[in-house]
Amino acid sequence: MAIPPLLRRPLLWVGLFAALVAYGLYALWHIPVEVLPRFGYPQIGIVVHDPGATAAEMENLIVRPLEGRLMGLTRMRSLRSSMGQGTAQLTIRFDEGTRPQPDLQAVYAAIDRARGSLPAGVHPYAEVMGNAINEIADYSVEIPAEIPAYRVQRAIRTRILPALRAVPGVQRVELFGSGDEALWIQPEPAALHRYGIGISAIADAVRRQVVLGPAGHLDLGHQDVLIEARHLPLTGAALRAIAIPTAHGDVPLGALARVARAATPIHSAVALDGHPSLGLIVFKQPGASTLPVDHAVAATLQRLQAELPHGVRWVPIYRQSHLVGLIGSDLGRNLLAGGLLAIAVLLWLLGVHRGVWVLALSIPLSLLLGIAGLYAFGQSLNLLTLGALTVAVGLLADDGIIVLEAIYHRWERGVAGIEGVRAGLKDIAGADITGTLTTVAAYLPLLAVGGLAGLFSNPFALAMSLALLASLLVSLTLIPLLLSHIGSAGRTSRSGGSLLAWLQRGNHRLLGLTLRRPGLSALAAAGLFLLSLIALAVVPMNFLPLPNEGVLLDGFTLPPGSTLAQTRSAVAQLTRHLRADPDVAHTFARIGSARGTAYTERAFAGEIQIVLKPGVHTASLSKVAARLLNEAAIDGVQQSIDTPTIERLGESLSGLPQPFEITLYGARLGTLESLSGQIAARLRHVPALADVFNNDSYPVPVLRVEPRDDALRAHGLDPQGFYRQMALLLRGRTLARVPDGEWPLSIYLRLPHPQALGLVGLRRLQLRTAHGWTPLGQLADLTVTQTPNQIRHLDGARAVEILATPLAPLGTVTAQARQALHDLKLPSGYRYAFGGLYPLLMHTAWVLGLAALGALALTLGIVSLQFDGLRLAGILLLQAPLAFTGGALALAASGVGLNATALVGFLTLIGISLNHGIVLLSYARANERAGQSPEEAVREAVRARFRPIVLTTLTAALGMLPTALGWGLGAAPEQGLAIVVLGGVLWSSLLSTNLLPALYLRWGRRQSA
């Protein structure tokens, strides 16, 4: 291959690399740092809150109108809806290729068109799915017992939230835990009865007392003066003085009701270490760097501490910067350690001379250029890209070693100076380019993968490709340029020469064996390949292991229909158990879902964030979680402990993540309930499943109040008047919001404790009618009935879910579940499907499998062009599945589970496994053209290439060794990837120096001849 004239202009390359290094340093300083890459799903989530509404009411009054508008959106692929007591969640997925932001705008437009059909006060909130991973900070506040929580909430809302929302990079801030500060009018039924005043009369009279509005303007001299009419009762005394008209004259409100300054009631709760508290959640903008945003939020809270009431202090619960710093420091340290180990082995095996220092320079330079490329493509440094660079650090010396060895080979044969550089570069450039491009070709199909697989494969593939292409650029330009100024190999002292000689002698004997028995050698390699597949089948699977975040998340669920008081009691018991553990610093419990948040749990579910003490040995996270789960176990409470990031990633991917679930589809709720009960009963006999939970069909009681028409007519009342009185007394209503300083003050009307009335008390509740007072039980029928706890829709069709905890690999669990359900008879129109984590993993494996086929096809095309045909290309490609053997056996021996990053590692082996073989066969064919016999040509090629192969293998292995050993908690997510690539590289190197030459002589000679 001739050297292009462009490569003979050193000043041009010096200037180019100076500019690239400058841009790389700029990118290194400015590139965002995150836990995970930005989600690009064309999927939008909608959350709706309407406290007090049943699942059926949410379905008919809210979800159906929204679905009717959303189903008409163009390019909508699917619509999933879940509705329960007081909450509903809708997930709209659009076609691949659509952009999330325009999709979000289209969804909001559909919501606006549906608003006229929604109940008053219902405000759907929509966001791009995946926003949960942008939750960077959770704080609670420690509130002294004498200070009401609503007062603290008002101070935070008026003085601190505006400052937080102004922090660069902050997307949204949520504050919850208390109702709004209000003047609560609590009517006394006996007084109402005594004065003959109905609850509606109080509501009307209070509303008439609140006046605030424009009343025109006047010209006063040279000024235009606006007129404002204002009458605002801002104190309890002012409200108590309001005159309520009666048949016998006006009566002050204070004689009819108690007026208290209190919080409006809410159907959720927050507790810090068992005491009432507030929750503050901060979300960053997608693409914003976690560390500066989180630090700015913490600094803002500290700066504004004095704005809080005396004795109130912030308690940090979760900070994503802890995880980002952990991953960055540990992977960064492993990257540095791996690079130093790779450089050390180069110095040991090649000796200390200027050429090795030139080679050592290529590793950090290639990494810097790779980071510059990531920044140019709008990527961030995250779990995936940092992992790719950490694994790549050992591979980046490959191109440089090939070029260096080729140039030194020419120098050792007497071609000195720049001519030796040119000759060596000419010898190796074609094979070097082909080898690197085949490696990059393995990643190109991954860049086109979408969905869940694309979330992990795209950033990783881009980072690896950019780093390898940067390494190729450096090896073909900067290394020859610097070596041309050295001029010769010089004298070197190689302390590792004896090891190289010993390895070469051993390889010589092994090569002789494979050359004599090529068929038997190939059969043995195939046998090991089958053994690796068997070993991989029993490897435990997990989605994505994450290092210790200093926080564990205990998700809990009581039986559906449990009261808020019951849930509070259970959470208090859980908190006591957790707080008794010596490793726990704080607990932060959230029950139910507050208005204005993206949470969707009902009052019988929620989560407890468990803050661990700094001294906890974080490597034992799984043991700590298992111990806490055992200590906090309560009968009737379903719990699961995970890390916050895994939980939020699951929420981002599927809304409500569960490891295993079965979804049953059908039209009638009664039939669905019966069938789901049968499925749950069968699943309880599956050995690999535990905690089978038929959540959706779990019935909850509803008290149905149906006014009788004849009774209403007899008492001069209509259904609307009946409902208005009942709703004011039992559900309550905010009559007005009056300006009061920085935040409006609510005027709220409701009985003080209506939930304590009971069925008998409700029947006796007096309503005002045309003939005086009448018990509610005489006007309406009260019936306790059972309704579904939760209703689901898929594209408008009803469905229920059965959940369980898998005790074995998901593939095994699903196979056993299928067997248990194989003879289940379903009515026409009813079907079930497996959901949860299993289909996500299966779809991911299927998509990555297609990407692997695409990578093989692309690689085959590149290699075929290099070797003018398919025969040698096919022999070379045999190394890809055989290299799988090393990765699979290494993973099985390590005990590390198979996860998303390990799957990407197997794809990495496709390109890596070919590089050595391409260069070696290029040397062998060149030797044949020089007149050597085929066997002599192969043996000479192996002898000439053995040292570079050993060098590249050792540098790659040592570069990945710190991560493969799991040094540092931040390396845990990438450990499986590093183990797979490490095992594959070692096995591939052994194949390329032994089995490949034998296969070439046995089956590749017809073409080369």
Side-chain angles (χ1 to χ4, degrees), residues 25-305:
L25 293 173
Y26 175 84
L28 183 61
W29 183 258
H30 290 89
I31 190 169
V33 182
E34 304 175 279
V35 173
L36 291 170
R38 186 186 312 177
F39 275 42
Y41 281 170
Q43 185 167 305
I44 309 299
I46 301 175
V47 174
V48 191
H49 293 285
D50 189 14
T54 65
E57 290 168 347
M58 295 294 295
E59 179 184 39
N60 293 315
L61 301 179
I62 295 176
V63 173
R64 291 294 188 192
L66 287 174
E67 286 179 339
R69 295 296 182 177
L70 294 169
M71 294 288 284
L73 295 178
T74 58
R75 304 195 67 181
M76 190 200 75
R77 175 174 293 184
S78 66
L79 173 60
R80 299 179 64 92
S81 306
S82 171
M83 61 231 72
Q85 295 177 344
T87 63
Q89 184 177 30
L90 296 86
T91 302
I92 310 100
R93 177 167 293 183
F94 291 85
D95 290 340
E96 294 290 340
T98 60
R99 293 184 298 147
Q101 286 304 321
D103 292 340
L104 180 61
Q105 294 173 3
V107 167
Y108 264 120
I111 292 174
D112 288 338
R113 291 193 296 271
R115 287 192 191 278
S117 304
L118 300 179
V122 170
H123 303 288
Y125 170 75
E127 65 180 4
V128 177
M129 291 297 287
N131 200 50
I133 63 172
N134 293 316
E135 184 176 331
I136 61 165
D138 297 357
Y139 286 86
S140 184
V141 284
E142 188 177 272
I143 305 174
E146 66 275 10
I147 300 177
Y150 67 79
R151 180 182 163 199
V152 180
Q153 179 169 280
R154 178 175 179 137
I156 296 173
R157 187 175 277 163
T158 56
R159 304 168 199 168
I160 295 177
L161 290 194
L164 289 177
R165 292 181 176 124
V167 171
V170 168
Q171 173 200 154
R172 191 172 87 247
V173 183
E174 294 179 353
L175 176 67
F176 54 90
S178 173
D180 293 333
E181 184 177 4
L183 292 174
W184 186 347
I185 304 171
Q186 300 173 353
E188 297 180 8
L192 297 180
H193 192 275
R194 183 166 60 252
Y195 287 101
I197 297 175
I199 189 69
S200 299
I202 293 179
D204 294 338
V206 171
R207 284 198 182 100
R208 287 194 296 268
Q209 292 296 316
V210 179
V211 176
L212 177 64
H217 69 278
L218 292 176
D219 294 332
L220 298 181
H222 299 288
Q223 292 183 321
D224 186 13
V225 178
L226 299 179
I227 303 173
E228 178 187 79
R230 173 186 288 256
H231 186 270
L232 303 174
L234 293 173
T235 64
L239 277 180
R240 284 189 287 270
I242 293 177
I244 309 298
T246 72
H248 306 289
D250 292 344
V251 177
L253 178 61
L256 303 170
R258 177 175 177 266
V259 179
R261 186 173 287 263
T264 55
I266 58 175
H267 207 55
S268 58
V270 172
L272 173 66
D273 297 332
H275 303 289
S277 182
L278 302 174
L280 178 74
I281 311 296
V282 181
F283 294 82
K284 70 176 184 64
Q285 293 283 355
S289 189
T290 298
L291 293 176
V293 177
D294 179 75
H295 293 163
V297 167
T300 301
L301 293 179
Q302 183 177 8
R303 175 170 54 86
L304 298 176
Q305 174 69 40

Side-chain angles (χ1 to χ4, degrees), residues 364-544:
L365 182 57
S366 299
L367 285 174
L368 185 64
L369 296 182
I371 292 173
L374 288 173
Y375 181 72
F377 277 96
Q379 294 288 329
S380 63
L381 288 180
N382 52 63
L383 192 64
L384 284 308
T385 54
L386 271 175
L389 295 177
T390 304
V391 171
V393 69
L395 305 175
L396 297 181
D398 198 356
D399 292 319
I401 289 173
I402 291 174
V403 172
L404 180 71
E405 282 288 313
I407 293 174
Y408 269 55
H409 186 69
R410 283 292 185 173
W411 281 349
E412 290 168 355
R413 292 194 173 189
V415 185
I418 193 171
E419 293 302 322
V421 173
R422 290 176 177 172
L425 192 59
K426 181 179 179 180
D427 291 339
I428 203 62
D432 188 24
I433 292 173
T434 302
T436 301
L437 290 182
T438 55
T439 305
V440 173
Y443 297 110
L444 290 182
L446 295 179
L447 296 176
V449 172
L452 174 62
L455 170 65
F456 298 97
S457 64
N458 294 167
F460 182 90
L462 183 61
M464 285 290 289
S465 299
L466 290 173
L468 292 173
L469 290 175
S471 172
L472 178 65
L473 175 66
V474 170
S475 69
L476 294 179
T477 55
L478 188 63
I479 288 180
L481 178 65
L482 296 177
L483 288 179
S484 65
H485 290 277
I486 296 176
S488 63
R491 294 186 177 183
T492 60
S493 174
R494 300 176 181 174
S495 56
S498 58
L499 175 63
L500 273 175
W502 179 78
L503 290 174
Q504 192 155 17
R505 288 193 300 271
N507 188 79
H508 180 77
R509 291 192 293 271
L510 186 59
L511 177 62
L513 177 64
T514 55
L515 290 180
R516 291 192 300 272
R517 299 285 189 273
L520 183 61
S521 300
L523 189 61
L528 285 174
F529 173 67
L530 294 177
L531 179 63
S532 69
L533 290 178
I534 296 173
L536 199 61
V538 298
V539 168
M541 294 180 66
N542 55 73
F543 185 62
L544 182 67

